[in-house]
Amino acid sequence: MSQFADRRSTSLWMGVGVAPNAAALRSDGECDVVVIGAGIAGISTAYELAIAGSRVMVIDRAKIAGGMTARTTAHLGAPCDDGTSVMIERRGEDISRRFYESQMAAIDRIEEIQSQESIDCDFRRLDGYLFQALNTDGKIIEDELDAACKIGIPVYRLVGVPLAHCEQQHVLRYPRQGTFHPLKYLKGLVAAIETKGGTFYADTAVESVEERDDGKVVVSAASGKVTARAAVVTTNSPIVDRFALHTKTAPYRTYAMALSIPKGAIPDALYWDTLDPYHYVRLQPGDDRTDYLIVGGGDHKSGEADDAEVRFQALEAWTRNLVPAVQEVTHRWSGQVLETIDHAAFIGRNPGNNNIYVHTGDSGQGITHGVVGAMINSSLILGRECKWVDVYEPSRKTLAGIGTYLSENLTPLKNFAEYLAPGELNSLSELKAGHGAIIRDGLSKIAAYRDEAGKLYARSAACTHVGCHLHWNSFETCWDCPCHGSHFAFDGTPLNAPAVGPLPEIEIPDRP
Ligand SMILES: Cc1cc2nc3c(=O)[nH]c(=O)nc-3n(C[C@H](O)[C@H](O)[C@H](O)COP(=O)(O)OP(=O)(O)OC[C@H]3O[C@@H](n4cnc5c(N)ncnc54)[C@H](O)[C@@H]3O)c2cc1C
Ligand code: FES
């Protein structure tokens, strides 16, 4: 049993307060552009607009940069993380080339901003190594090399990476990738935006975003309304539409951990292997003698497994095998990414609106996608040219992705069938302290959690987005929705979009 069995998800970044003084919205307001959701996508968008002279307001349901951005591992990698060869099959050579170019431009933009704004955020340009996983053949490396050459991605073929047992593995080296400390970077961006007159509101859940006949957008929260010329919805999974974009994305849980490692034990670089799901590894500076090795992987569809401990043990064993110099595990956390049917995010005008813009489908490249999204959406709002609009167009239909589309959309169908199944426990009296479970109550299902002190929380098990059946996540102590990525705290409070409303409380007698 790991030393962490009783500890909750804590990422390496969570101690950094990005805007600790941001207060809740308390009255109505007006601005040029209102940004909803303050992660990498929202804050980067606000920055691009603020430096162009727009008055921006940024609103977040929780704290600023406390969402998936606080759980990233922050590899800044430009090649499509699902494989360039796969992307060419789905989108062709021209779009795949421009996808790479836009992701590279995002790394350049981060480098430029941190330098211009003097943000001390551990930014480094690094080589990225894709290496043949142990006990697999080298075909993926061959395919990726061919694909990269076809569209002009700079890449070098090597044998061996400086990881144990990998001396003879086939490897591709991608130069000039990068990494940084995501929250230190965003803290610097927030300061720059505030200097330009932008304002941040935390603890303010946006309930609706509407476009009026006069073209203005009205964003409503319980404590006030904001009227603006445009709104950008960067809530990770969009709160503005029910189906159009959600049927083209699928939520996956991914796991990460940090281990201490003596400085200089392995070269500072990005490493990822050819497995599916792949392992991803990089260093983060620590103190004078020790760094952190961050490793991620173990992905599964959200809600379809509740075995974080097993996944962490596998990640740790894999790491100790390839990097024997690692010492103790210092942090463990999980989070979610939204995979799209053709591997690029959906960024641009929300289908059906003129002045509401969206950003979703981050995939494993949500940090670079966030920065690409900021460049695209700010250009569209400011009426400037942007050469990647068609790569990320939200209303696109990708015929080559139809198989993935159909298989991912079986999840909601399978999920609704679960309402007919029996509960996981027969009655609330079987629910132990510190556990969550689904319990049948007549025709409906209850999402029940009993805290360590024995207090019961009984909520509807139907997600408030479009009603999918929730699943308990014992590592995160929350309810995960397998359909489009909502998460709810044990008391029903929404934690992750697209859900906006809380799970309704169920009145039920508790006889422990
Ligand atoms: C373990 C892990 C490792 C990863 N590793 C990498 C990596 O190495 N490289 C990479 O590029 N990407 C990586 N990613 C992906 C990347 O971190 C994310 O895709 C990215 O941070 C998402 O940013 P975002 O701004 O879209 O969303 P978020 O950071 O989640 O921000 C969305 C915000 O919207 C707010 N919100 C939601 N609903 C509302 C509402 N109704 N009203 C107001 N606010 C609302 C939320 O509170 C949240 O703060 C990783 C992700 C995970 C989980
Ligand atoms: S997130 Fe869409 S139904 Fe739950």
Side-chain angles (χ1 to χ4, degrees):
M1 201 61 165
S2 148
Q3 56 175 324
F4 283 95
D6 59 343
R7 289 205 222 154
R8 299 293 174 217
S9 193
T10 313
S11 93
L12 192 54
W13 329 113
M14 278 179 182
V16 176
V18 168
N21 300 325
L25 182 74
R26 296 201 202 288
S27 56
D28 292 355
E30 260 190 64
C31 62
D32 293 327
V33 185
V34 53
V35 177
I36 303 134
I40 183 79
I43 298 176
S44 302
T45 307
Y47 176 80
E48 299 296 352
L49 292 162
I51 59 168
S54 301
R55 288 174 305 138
V56 291
M57 292 171 77
V58 183
I59 303 178
D60 200 287
R61 169 160 64 197
K63 59 181 185 162
I64 303 301
M68 289 307 143
T69 303
R71 293 165 182 255
T72 191
T73 54
H75 290 231
L76 306 177
C80 172
D81 83 324
D82 290 283
T84 303
S85 48
V86 177
M87 183 152 215
I88 291 176
E89 267 169 35
R90 298 268 155 110
R91 305 280 313 268
E93 290 182 20
D94 176 52
I95 293 274
S96 302
R97 180 180 302 111
R98 290 191 292 124
F99 173 86
Y100 177 83
E101 177 190 274
S102 66
Q103 297 286 323
M104 208 61 193
I107 307 175
D108 293 344
R109 186 72 184 127
I110 294 171
E111 180 173 32
E112 183 179 47
I113 292 172
Q114 57 91 38
S115 163
Q116 271 169 5
E117 302 291 349
S118 304
I119 304 172
D120 182 4
C121 62
D122 310 320
F123 177 85
R124 281 109 66 213
R125 289 310 286 226
L126 297 173
D127 283 339
Y129 293 98
L130 169 65
F131 65 99
Q132 174 195 3
L134 297 182
N135 307 317
T136 63
D137 67 28
K139 179 157 183 338
I140 295 180
I141 296 290
E142 295 298 333
D143 292 348
E144 286 304 283
L145 179 64
D146 286 352
C149 292
K150 254 187 208 157
I151 62 170
I153 295 180
V155 67
Y156 300 87
R157 172 94 191 247
L158 311 173
V159 175
V161 268
L163 304 176
H165 317 296
C166 294
E167 298 78 7
Q168 297 305 320
Q169 300 307 98
H170 296 282
V171 180
L172 295 181
R173 176 171 74 84
Y174 298 90
R176 289 184 57 72
Q177 310 301 303
T179 195
F180 66 164
H181 187 306
L183 296 197
K184 285 185 187 171
Y185 173 73
L186 290 182
K187 193 177 169 82
L189 239 54
V190 166
I193 296 164
E194 286 178 335
T195 307
K196 304 262 177 238
T199 45
F200 285 82
Y201 299 90
D203 303 314
T204 305
V206 168
E207 291 166 358
S208 68
V209 183
E210 274 156 28
E211 198 168 274
R212 293 192 318 215
D213 291 345
D214 65 0
K216 290 257 169 101
V217 178
V218 182
V219 167
S220 306
S223 53
K225 283 184 197 306
V226 175
T227 308
R229 283 198 294 114
V232 189
V233 180
T234 50
T235 49
N236 193 242
S237 188
I239 56 167
V240 271
D241 73 359
R242 296 230 133 192
F243 293 110
L245 291 172
H246 296 296
T247 56
K248 299 194 284 187
T249 60
Y252 282 77
R253 272 260 169 215
T254 179
Y255 297 81
M257 64 205 303
L259 300 96
S260 54
I261 183 167
K263 272 199 188 307
I266 63 166
D268 194 10
L270 309 181
Y271 305 90
W272 67 103
D273 70 12
T274 50
L275 290 180
D276 182 15
Y278 60 92
H279 297 94
Y280 43 104
V281 182
R282 71 144 173 122
L283 293 168
Q284 174 63 25
D287 59 24
D288 289 347
R289 298 172 58 183
T290 315
D291 286 336
Y292 295 99
L293 183 106
I294 305 174
V295 54
D299 309 17
H300 60 80
K301 273 200 95 169
S302 293
E304 292 195 352
D306 185 24
D307 56 359
E309 193 57 43
V310 175
R311 285 169 202 269
F312 283 124
Q313 281 171 13
L315 266 186
E316 185 176 344
W318 181 90
T319 309
R320 291 191 185 282
N321 187 32
L322 270 64
V323 192
V326 289
Q327 299 165 336
E328 58 159 346
V329 178
T330 57
H331 301 75
R332 302 189 327 173
W333 67 97
S334 81
Q336 183 173 269
V337 295
L338 293 170
E339 295 292 344
T340 71
I341 56 169
D342 61 12
H343 313 303
F346 295 105
I347 299 164
R349 246 185 212 98
N350 188 43
N353 290 119
N354 291 319
N355 295 316
I356 300 175
Y357 299 80
V358 280
H359 177 113
T360 190
D362 47 15
S363 181
Q365 291 174 284
I367 299 292
T368 42
H369 264 136
V371 177
V372 173
M375 293 192 273
I376 294 177
N377 278 333
S378 63
S379 299
L380 289 171
I381 291 168
L382 297 166
R384 294 178 176 169
E385 275 288 302
C386 180
K387 46 189 173 170
W388 305 302
V389 172
D390 58 333
V391 176
Y392 297 98
E393 169 56 47
S395 59
R396 72 180 181 270
K397 293 190 175 59
T398 306
L399 281 180
I402 197 79
T404 316
Y405 174 85
L406 293 174
S407 67
E408 293 295 10
N409 280 289
L410 286 178
T411 300
L413 296 179
K414 269 192 329 203
N415 181 283
F416 279 104
E418 285 179 47
Y419 281 106
L420 303 174
E424 291 160 342
L425 298 178
N426 292 323
S427 73
L428 285 171
S429 61
E430 293 174 23
L431 186 63
K432 294 194 191 119
H435 287 250
I438 298 290
I439 290 163
R440 177 165 284 292
D441 177 33
L443 287 179
S444 54
K445 293 275 192 79
I446 300 174
Y449 171 72
R450 196 182 293 288
D451 71 15
E452 297 294 348
K455 182 173 175 194
L456 177 74
Y457 296 82
R459 301 290 182 269
S460 162
C463 175
T464 54
H465 178 227
V466 287
C468 281
H469 187 297
L470 299 174
H471 291 196
W472 180 241
N473 180 331
S474 51
F475 177 63
E476 296 286 349
T477 328
C478 75
W479 297 100
D480 285 352
C481 183
C483 289
H484 317 112
S486 295
H487 305 153
F488 298 86
F490 59 79
D491 66 356
T493 307
L495 298 174
N496 207 62
V500 171
L503 300 175
E505 193 167 346
I506 308 281
E507 293 290 335
I508 186 156
D510 181 22
R511 296 182 206 89

